[in-house]
Amino acid sequence: MRSLPDKSLAPKALSVWKISAVIESVFLFLIPLAYWGTMQIWELPLWILYALIAFAAVIAVLDIFIIQTLKWNRWKYKVYENEVELMRGVFIVERVIIPMIRVQHVDTRQGPILRHYKLASVTISTAATVHEIPGLQMEVADELRDQIAQLAREADPDE
Amino acid sequence: MNNWQRQHPAAIFISFLNSLKQLIVTLVLVFIFGQTSQGMSSIFFISFFLLILFGSLISGFIGWWKFQYYLKEDELQVKQGLIFRKNRFIRRDRVQSIDINAKVIQRIFGLVELKIETAGGGSEPEFRLIALKRDDAELIKKELLEGKSASQEKEGYLGEISEGMAQSLSLSDYKEAETKEQESSKAFTWDLTPKRLIIAAITSSGVGIAATFMAAVISQVPQFLPDWLINIAIGWIVQSSIVYVGMFLVTVLISAWIFTIISTVLKYGMFSVTKRGKDIHISRGVLEQRQLTLYENRINAVRIVQNVLRQPFGYCAVYVESAGGGTKEEDLSTILLPLCKRNEVMNLLEELVPEYAFEVSYESLPKESMRRYMIKLFVPLFIAAGIITYFFSYGWLAFIFPIAGGTLGYIQYKTAGIESFKEYLCIRSRQLSKTEVFLPKRRIQDMVHSQNPLQRLDQLFTIEVSVLTTVVGKVFSLKHISSQQKENYMEWYSYEESTETLLPEENI
């Protein structure tokens, strides 16, 4: 059995994800709002409105308090000498292997929320795909970027 | 040819016709899919149309006037643009593929179009010269393909993937460059015989797409029929809706089939592939002639496809995934052999891309995955059939579909197989067509194993690998492999010696 990757993301990343989930769930409440809008024009049953509100609320609560935590718990990465391994996904669990000799470049990037929490994401690009390790502490992210870049440079092409 | 040159003036006309064609396509689409509403006044519409025509004529002229190219040693320089000037330098060692096409428009003038694809993605990985004399195009192709001095020969065709990749390529190129001189004299050529062209056309799988299009067109036909005819037809339809639906389907299928046969013949007629040194030259087409040059070491995967009509007769088509050269119609792949017998493939690949010439016996999937393949197709169709039965008379006939779906699922399970042969990963799978793909480990950019909640019940996984094709990456996957197979292929792909030798991150 190949051992699972064991490095977690920064604990603060969970807070950032929860904030993003709150922002996203605001949009979820647009559905009952739109229904309420149509109710002003046509006669429509009221109970559907309550059902929609309840639905949006349940989804929002699940997303903010459970899904994000599960997602954070699942997210693991590990940097080996010759490859990077990622594990992610709440329902569909993915394990990704990216060999160092296939890495074309590594970046760190930050959005406004990430910056506020002094976090950054690391993106690893190959010729065909791009993978992101979201939400690491800034110093860790910078270190990781330099480390992967270094290992990618050293990777032996004959292997 | 040592100065700045413009394209043939016909370029103006060609680019004008191209924009006209797009305009007409848009109009036809609007006509077919949007029901005609008389909202817009026709004068406004016509003047708008004329304005666009005039505009595209002017822009075609400016485009031609301000577009100049200069063929130097090992390099093609291009400057273009009126307001935003742009200079491009296309270096020989960055060229991925060279395409010489003669579309119908170009053929009127006896000209060709030259398409060059370069490495390194970017916003414009491909580059076109739309109107050139064939001699000029051949000259550019020759310069960018072979170069003049022999010393540059040894640089090989690099400029791709990582530095390490380039090194490993250049080593092998070195050896091959020496033998290239001798090899270039003897070339291997394979032609698509007329008999096989006909078979390819009849068994082409483009029918589905054509059928959708035909259905859209035919459903618009009643608009043009006189009212009395429609009245008779409707009276008859109401009596026997099943017959009508059947008639409609048959008409659609037959016309789609004929359409596909003609288009396949036009597309793959005069197909010929030649291997000279490390270059693979493909030329094809009756009306639109296309000549494409690929490099053997740019090929990232080989795919052998047998559709349902071809499999019983042992025929198949062979595609290559190459950085450069792919077209949208073929999923960004390039067709190498439009039709040949499956048992000839190995010998043909031996000549064309010897690296991929092998046969493998695939390891089949575990028993548990049979259920997954069958349920996935059976259940949704079963529910749909239930709903149809409830709402329509004769709806119970729809229960044919879940049975067919379940059977297809079983066949998919039987087809599915995976094997690693030396440094190659081989995957065999089926949607409808049976597809085999050979992927060299050094071309696989990453490997993903995923598991959804249903797969978790049976400890099954999906394996996905990505390779680079024209411009974008392409993913090949196989569903429902066993956890043992997952471990094997992880280990096969992993570049770590063993799990014991990992370096803790902190120590580096």
Side-chain angles (χ1 to χ4, degrees):
Chain A
M1 262 319 235
R2 186 189 164 94
S3 58
L4 297 172
D6 55 4
K7 298 261 178 219
S8 297
L9 302 179
K12 277 188 206 155
L14 181 57
S15 324
V16 176
W17 287 352
K18 283 186 172 171
I19 293 170
S20 314
V22 169
I23 297 170
E24 276 162 32
S25 54
V26 170
F27 289 98
L28 207 58
F29 281 95
L30 287 178
I31 302 169
L33 190 70
Y35 186 78
W36 180 81
T38 20
M39 268 176 68
Q40 305 308 305
I41 308 168
W42 290 291
E43 282 288 318
L44 288 170
L46 193 63
W47 65 269
I48 293 183
L49 179 66
Y50 293 129
L52 284 174
I53 291 173
F55 174 75
V58 168
I59 298 279
V61 167
L62 276 182
D63 188 18
I64 295 165
F65 293 102
I66 297 176
I67 307 249
Q68 299 305 324
T69 314
L70 287 177
K71 186 172 144 194
W72 191 89
N73 287 341
R74 177 82 72 200
W75 235 113
K76 293 282 189 304
Y77 69 94
K78 181 150 188 166
V79 180
Y80 298 91
E81 192 183 358
N82 294 314
E83 62 206 18
V84 182
E85 186 173 351
L86 314 176
M87 182 164 77
R88 64 189 172 204
V90 177
F91 299 107
I92 297 174
V93 186
E94 278 188 336
R95 281 176 79 179
V96 187
I97 299 177
I98 312 157
M100 287 298 176
I101 51 171
R102 301 285 163 258
V103 174
Q104 290 207 315
H105 55 263
V106 205
D107 306 321
T108 47
R109 54 181 75 167
Q110 286 178 311
I113 309 179
L114 283 181
R115 187 163 338 158
H116 180 258
Y117 282 90
K118 296 201 169 53
L119 298 176
S121 301
V122 176
T123 54
I124 306 166
S125 312
T126 68
T129 52
V130 182
H131 297 282
E132 185 177 38
I133 306 177
L136 293 172
Q137 274 179 354
M138 238 152 76
E139 310 84 68
V140 178
D142 288 342
E143 216 170 274
L144 188 66
R145 179 196 58 205
D146 295 343
Q147 186 197 353
I148 294 174
Q150 179 65 25
L151 287 171
R153 223 168 306 149
E154 285 168 1
D156 187 351
D158 292 330
E159 208 174 346
Chain B
M1 203 158 71
N2 283 323
N3 44 12
W4 288 100
Q5 290 194 322
R6 291 205 173 83
Q7 299 186 82
H8 192 279
I12 306 169
F13 187 65
I14 291 168
S15 73
F16 171 69
L17 276 186
N18 275 336
S19 38
L20 188 68
K21 197 170 81 183
Q22 273 178 0
L23 201 62
I24 289 172
V25 167
T26 321
L27 284 178
V28 167
L29 284 182
V30 166
F31 173 73
I32 291 178
F33 294 105
Q35 292 295 334
T36 42
S37 63
Q38 299 297 342
M40 228 187 292
S41 86
S42 53
I43 293 170
F44 171 78
F45 200 66
I46 288 168
S47 54
F48 187 65
F49 185 76
L50 285 177
L51 200 71
I52 291 177
L53 280 190
F54 187 67
S56 49
L57 193 61
I58 295 289
S59 83
F61 177 75
I62 293 173
W64 171 76
W65 182 254
K66 299 307 291 183
F67 187 104
Q68 287 176 302
Y69 67 92
Y70 185 3
L71 183 65
K72 285 183 174 171
E73 201 173 297
D74 284 330
E75 190 175 58
L76 181 69
Q77 290 188 11
V78 173
K79 54 182 184 185
Q80 67 185 113
L82 176 66
I83 300 165
F84 297 101
R85 292 284 176 82
K86 197 162 70 177
N87 290 308
R88 271 186 94 159
F89 299 79
I90 298 164
R91 285 193 52 76
R92 185 171 76 88
D93 53 8
R94 292 278 150 181
V95 174
Q96 298 275 9
S97 73
I98 300 174
D99 224 351
I100 294 182
N101 297 330
K103 295 182 180 165
V104 184
I105 307 171
Q106 272 96 357
R107 293 192 75 184
I108 297 171
F109 299 95
L111 298 171
V112 295
E113 175 191 272
L114 185 76
K115 193 171 105 182
I116 302 170
E117 279 176 53
T118 53
S123 54
E124 291 167 274
E126 70 163 44
F127 174 80
R128 281 168 203 274
L129 289 157
I130 53 170
L132 286 178
K133 291 205 189 88
R134 184 169 279 276
D135 293 347
D136 292 343
E138 293 290 349
L139 200 65
I140 294 176
K141 180 173 166 181
K142 200 160 176 250
E143 181 64 50
L144 292 181
L145 207 60
E146 286 154 23
K148 274 176 185 155
S149 53
S151 64
Q152 271 135 344
E153 198 87 334
K154 290 186 177 173
E155 272 176 29
Y157 312 109
L158 314 178
E160 137 181 84
I161 329 264
S162 67
E163 236 174 281
M165 193 73 236
Q167 278 171 22
S168 73
L169 276 177
S170 71
L171 280 174
S172 59
D173 276 345
Y174 241 28
K175 289 173 218 141
E176 260 122 13
E178 286 161 25
T179 53
K180 195 178 174 179
E181 299 291 302
Q182 305 141 26
E183 273 179 2
S184 59
S185 54
K186 56 171 178 141
F188 172 81
T189 306
W190 182 87
D191 297 308
L192 185 66
T193 59
K195 183 189 152 210
R196 289 204 168 167
L197 174 63
I198 299 298
I199 298 173
I202 292 172
T203 59
S204 166
S205 60
V207 179
I209 303 156
T212 328
F213 182 71
M214 286 296 165
V217 172
I218 291 174
S219 64
Q220 291 295 307
V221 166
Q223 284 191 1
F224 305 102
L225 298 178
D227 282 347
W228 59 268
L229 196 66
I230 291 177
N231 286 337
I232 294 173
I234 287 176
W236 181 68
I237 288 159
V238 170
Q239 284 170 5
S240 52
S241 65
I242 291 277
V243 176
Y244 174 72
V245 171
M247 288 266 298
F248 180 74
L249 285 179
V250 167
T251 321
V252 164
L253 277 179
I254 288 179
S255 54
W257 195 47
I258 292 168
F259 184 77
T260 331
I261 288 177
I262 294 169
S263 68
T264 312
V265 167
L266 291 181
K267 204 160 132 196
Y268 296 130
M270 335 239 297
F271 189 101
S272 163
V273 50
T274 306
K275 174 78 184 291
R276 197 174 291 123
K278 302 224 79 174
D279 309 332
I280 299 168
H281 303 265
I282 298 171
S283 68
R284 67 181 210 208
V286 177
L287 284 178
E288 286 195 12
Q289 288 172 335
R290 188 161 185 239
Q291 279 184 310
L292 172 69
T293 305
L294 295 171
Y295 302 128
E296 186 193 328
N297 48 21
R298 285 280 158 76
I299 289 173
N300 293 336
V302 167
R303 200 153 49 94
I304 304 166
V305 181
Q306 289 186 285
N307 73 23
V308 189
L309 295 174
R310 285 174 190 171
Q311 200 187 343
F313 305 103
Y315 283 111
C316 66
V318 179
Y319 295 81
V320 292
E321 308 295 341
S322 147
T327 52
K328 279 196 189 97
E329 300 93 74
E330 284 161 8
D331 275 349
L332 298 172
S333 316
T334 305
I335 198 156
L336 188 67
L337 305 167
L339 190 85
C340 65
K341 288 272 188 188
R342 178 65 184 87
N343 53 25
E344 295 169 354
V345 169
M346 194 170 96
N347 292 332
L348 288 170
L349 287 180
E350 182 70 52
E351 297 290 345
L352 294 167
V353 269
E355 199 194 331
Y356 294 91
F358 50 80
E359 291 289 343
V360 286
S361 52
Y362 294 87
E363 188 190 351
S364 55
L365 301 187
K367 277 202 197 68
E368 294 81 21
S369 73
M370 179 175 88
R371 217 173 8 191
R372 291 259 66 78
Y373 276 102
M374 289 179 72
I375 288 175
K376 192 193 164 200
L377 286 166
F378 179 78
V379 170
L381 287 168
F382 186 77
I383 295 170
I387 295 169
I388 290 170
T389 310
Y390 185 77
F391 286 106
F392 298 93
S393 51
Y394 294 112
W396 54 268
L397 281 173
F399 278 99
I400 288 172
F401 294 112
I403 293 166
T407 315
L408 177 61
Y410 180 73
I411 298 171
Q412 284 180 341
Y413 162 73
K414 276 298 188 191
T415 309
I418 186 164
E419 189 61 57
S420 57
F421 177 81
K422 292 182 193 159
E423 291 293 279
Y424 296 83
L425 178 67
C426 308
I427 295 176
R428 187 174 66 188
S429 62
R430 178 195 296 278
Q431 288 295 317
L432 263 174
S433 302
K434 178 172 158 188
T435 304
E436 287 171 66
V437 58
F438 300 157
L439 302 141
K441 181 177 168 184
R442 65 199 167 85
R443 301 294 197 191
I444 298 175
Q445 301 292 328
D446 63 21
M447 181 181 274
V448 180
H449 285 91
S450 66
Q451 188 177 46
N452 66 32
L454 286 173
Q455 287 176 321
R456 203 163 305 148
L457 297 175
D458 292 324
Q459 279 304 302
L460 297 171
F461 296 84
T462 298
I463 184 172
E464 288 174 18
V465 292
S466 315
V467 295
L468 180 66
T469 63
T470 306
V471 191
V472 290
K474 196 168 193 173
V475 178
F476 292 98
S477 65
L478 184 68
K479 283 180 177 152
H480 316 316
I481 61 171
S482 71
S483 82
Q484 184 55 46
Q485 284 168 328
K486 179 204 81 164
E487 289 297 326
N488 291 348
Y489 290 104
M490 263 189 172
E491 203 185 310
W492 174 82
Y493 187 60
S494 173
Y495 286 78
E496 294 298 315
E497 306 283 297
S498 79
T499 35
E500 306 311 313
T501 59
L502 0 146
L503 291 179
E505 200 190 324
E506 291 77 18
N507 295 358
I508 296 169

